[in-house]
Amino acid sequence: MKKFVMALAASTALTGAAYAQSMDLEKDELTFGFIKLTDMAPLAVAYEQGYFLDEGLFVTLEAQANWKVLLDGVIDGKLDGAHMLAGQPLAATIGFGTEAHIITPFSMDLNGNGITVSNEIWEEMKPNIPVGDDGKPVHPISASALKPVVEKYKSEGKPFNMGMVFPVSTHNYELRYWLAAGGLEPGYYSTDNISGQIAADVLLSVTPPPQMPATLEAGTIYGYCVGEPWNQQAVFKGIGVPVITDYELWKNNPEKVFGITNEFAEEYPNTTKAVVKALIRAAMWLDENDNANRPEAVEILSRPEYVGADYDVIANSMTGTFEYEKGDKREVPDFNVFFRYNATYPYYSDAIWYLTQMRRWGQIAEAKPDSWYDEVAKSVYKPEIYLEAARALVDEGLANEADFPWDSDGYKSATPAEDIIDGIPYDGKAPNAYLESLPIGLKGDQKVVGTEIQG
């Protein structure tokens, strides 16, 4: 009934400009996939606020079982597009795992993830963590506080297991980054062994996001990296403690993207632009007036067809705070960013960071020149589509000219050392120099052979 009512509204309430554009759409009935995470919000908002309908688009949103099912759905055409891990279009395009040319014309958000450990591990970490005058732990918390715990487990012959959501997920790379910054080896991939656990101090494995808290509670893993609301869920259930947010790991780091096949973008260019217009409007709505719309967004996301977690659990991070230990709630206004800081612009430098992490841990087996990173980024991230959509919104009076980086070359300014937990700056225009600067990980011509790093 809901779809029928919204379709009826579309047929009678489209503005003149939007209706005229809808006549040029190559395809107007679309199905988009998502995983039940807070950062799918732009899709839900574009649907619920009628932004898709304003563009003449009749959209169905479908939750997917896991990231692989979602990616396969986009590749085989069951889905027209999807809320994706940023690493998925890149990995597919270079042939790591499933091979297909996936592109992104829209970045969905910045930040939004956390690393949580079980109560038992937290108690073992606490003696290694300084406290402030208020008696609370000083943040950010380094993985160096976890290192003695891991070493103790190893000495007792017990593997130290942690969860992440997918091999090419931001969560995998963020968890690895945090561990390595604290002096722990998170393990390597090779062409013969894709477990990612070669020479690892901490064994990382895949767990779907909504299953993270239950897997932690069962003792299968001792901690995990995941998006919201599944860190705050551990706090509410009393089973774990988030120790760090990705905002503290790397201030305003890129997170999810909206992914479509290159074939879709070429066959349906007007439809693609219309989709991006609706998503930009949704992102603007989510951040406008200092997040004034976030409570309404939380109500939308709490519905079972979207994230389906309790309102209070989602609101704990979505409305500008984050709770670590039970009762230790702190202001983190940028924990979720959807439009500020050009969050929706698909920067080449964001793509290249993901590629450097794939190379760092052996998912890209051989060394590549800097030019290769640039070429891959430009084949996947499509700021030209984004800016075309943004220009249309400005011309229609629906967006402000000053809110978009019209003159960008696609690269952000280098991220300064103080914005990253290990104090190592990142410059997307110099990926190999960046890899050389990281103390743990593959460098130069090094490769993983068997259980050893050679070169």
Side-chain angles (χ1 to χ4, degrees):
M1 176 62 71
K2 181 178 185 181
K3 289 177 189 172
F4 172 77
V5 171
M6 294 193 78
L8 182 63
S11 68
T12 58
L14 281 173
T15 66
Y19 184 79
Q21 179 182 321
S22 74
M23 294 299 93
D24 297 328
L25 296 176
E26 303 89 358
K27 184 176 186 181
D28 61 4
E29 294 186 18
L30 304 168
T31 301
F32 297 145
F34 67 92
I35 298 293
K36 292 193 168 192
L37 290 160
T38 300
D39 54 25
M40 64 77 60
L43 283 169
V45 168
Y47 183 92
E48 296 292 339
Q49 296 297 114
Y51 300 145
F52 285 133
L53 290 176
D54 286 350
E55 298 298 328
L57 299 170
F58 302 88
V59 170
T60 300
L61 301 178
E62 292 184 355
Q64 304 296 298
N66 57 55
W67 292 112
K68 185 180 188 308
V69 168
L70 178 144
L71 178 63
D72 290 346
V74 172
I75 292 170
D76 66 24
K78 291 178 183 174
L79 299 173
D80 295 295
H83 161 237
M84 282 189 181
L85 300 161
Q88 284 186 295
L90 293 161
T93 297
I94 66 173
F96 180 76
T98 306
E99 188 167 2
H101 190 184
I102 307 293
I103 67 164
T104 179
F106 179 86
S107 284
M108 292 191 71
D109 62 320
L110 304 177
N111 312 317
N113 299 330
I115 296 172
T116 292
V117 298
S118 69
N119 292 336
E120 178 187 1
I121 298 301
W122 174 242
E123 290 303 319
E124 294 186 65
M125 288 177 66
K126 281 175 80 172
N128 310 318
I129 300 169
V131 295
D133 293 339
D134 58 3
K136 295 179 179 179
V138 175
H139 284 256
I141 293 173
S142 167
S144 60
L146 179 65
K147 189 175 181 181
V149 181
V150 172
E151 290 172 344
K152 173 176 172 286
Y153 277 62
K154 285 181 71 175
S155 70
E156 296 170 354
K158 295 191 291 189
F160 198 91
N161 300 312
M162 296 187 78
M164 47 80 182
V165 308
F166 202 68
V168 296
S169 66
T170 319
H171 319 79
N172 185 22
Y173 304 131
E174 287 175 346
L175 182 51
R176 288 169 176 274
Y177 204 100
W178 182 68
L179 292 168
L184 288 163
E185 286 278 4
Y188 296 86
Y189 297 81
S190 74
T191 53
D192 300 320
N193 183 342
I194 58 171
S195 70
Q197 298 181 352
I198 298 168
D201 294 324
V202 178
L203 304 178
L204 307 186
S205 59
V206 170
T207 301
Q211 297 174 25
M212 286 289 191
T215 309
L216 183 75
E217 189 171 20
T220 308
I221 54 177
Y222 296 123
Y224 55 72
C225 183
V226 75
E228 280 307 297
W230 309 115
N231 295 287
Q232 295 298 272
Q233 183 78 291
V235 178
F236 272 71
K237 289 170 67 72
I239 61 171
V241 176
V243 292
I244 191 168
T245 66
D246 58 347
Y247 180 83
E248 297 166 303
L249 271 171
W250 173 14
K251 183 179 176 181
N252 293 330
N253 64 92
E255 232 303 281
K256 303 294 190 309
V257 298
F258 181 74
I260 56 178
T261 64
N262 187 61
E263 180 182 19
F264 182 97
E266 290 182 344
E267 188 172 352
Y268 310 123
N270 293 335
T271 298
T272 299
K273 182 172 80 169
V275 170
V276 176
K277 286 176 65 184
L279 291 175
I280 291 174
R281 290 183 69 192
M284 292 166 56
W285 182 88
L286 281 159
D287 278 11
E288 71 187 13
N289 299 325
D290 294 324
N291 297 349
N293 295 323
R294 293 295 181 88
E296 184 178 348
V298 172
E299 189 281 318
I300 292 169
L301 292 171
S302 67
R303 298 173 194 170
E305 63 264 36
Y306 296 124
V307 179
D310 290 345
Y311 180 97
D312 289 343
V313 175
I314 298 175
N316 227 29
S317 59
M318 187 75 164
T319 55
T321 61
F322 192 82
E323 192 167 10
Y324 296 90
E325 275 187 289
K326 191 70 174 173
D328 183 5
K329 184 181 282 193
R330 309 189 187 199
E331 296 294 320
V332 189
D334 285 339
F335 180 84
N336 282 118
V337 173
F338 294 98
F339 189 70
R340 293 188 295 277
Y341 319 128
N342 296 315
T344 51
Y345 183 93
Y347 282 101
Y348 301 139
S349 44
D350 291 346
I352 288 171
W353 185 82
Y354 287 100
L355 293 169
T356 64
Q357 300 311 292
M358 292 177 194
R359 171 60 189 145
R360 183 183 186 186
W361 307 118
Q363 291 174 332
I364 296 173
E366 307 282 344
K368 305 289 185 182
D370 285 356
S371 59
W372 179 87
Y373 288 89
D374 178 75
E375 289 164 7
V376 173
K378 288 177 177 175
S379 74
V380 176
Y381 279 48
K382 299 296 180 182
E384 64 273 19
I385 297 175
Y386 175 88
L387 290 178
E388 188 180 351
R391 174 54 63 195
L393 288 174
V394 171
D395 290 347
E396 292 166 19
L398 296 172
N400 296 321
E401 176 98 16
D403 286 342
F404 302 96
W406 306 105
D407 298 327
S408 174
D409 64 357
Y411 284 83
K412 289 179 184 174
S413 300
T415 305
E418 59 268 25
D419 285 354
I420 304 179
I421 194 166
D422 56 7
I424 297 173
Y426 166 66
D427 183 355
K429 292 185 176 180
N432 280 294
Y434 173 64
L435 285 165
E436 290 286 343
S437 72
L438 299 167
I440 295 178
L442 298 180
K443 299 171 180 59
D445 292 326
Q446 287 182 330
K447 61 176 66 176
V448 181
V449 179
T451 59
E452 297 180 352
I453 295 174
Q454 296 185 358

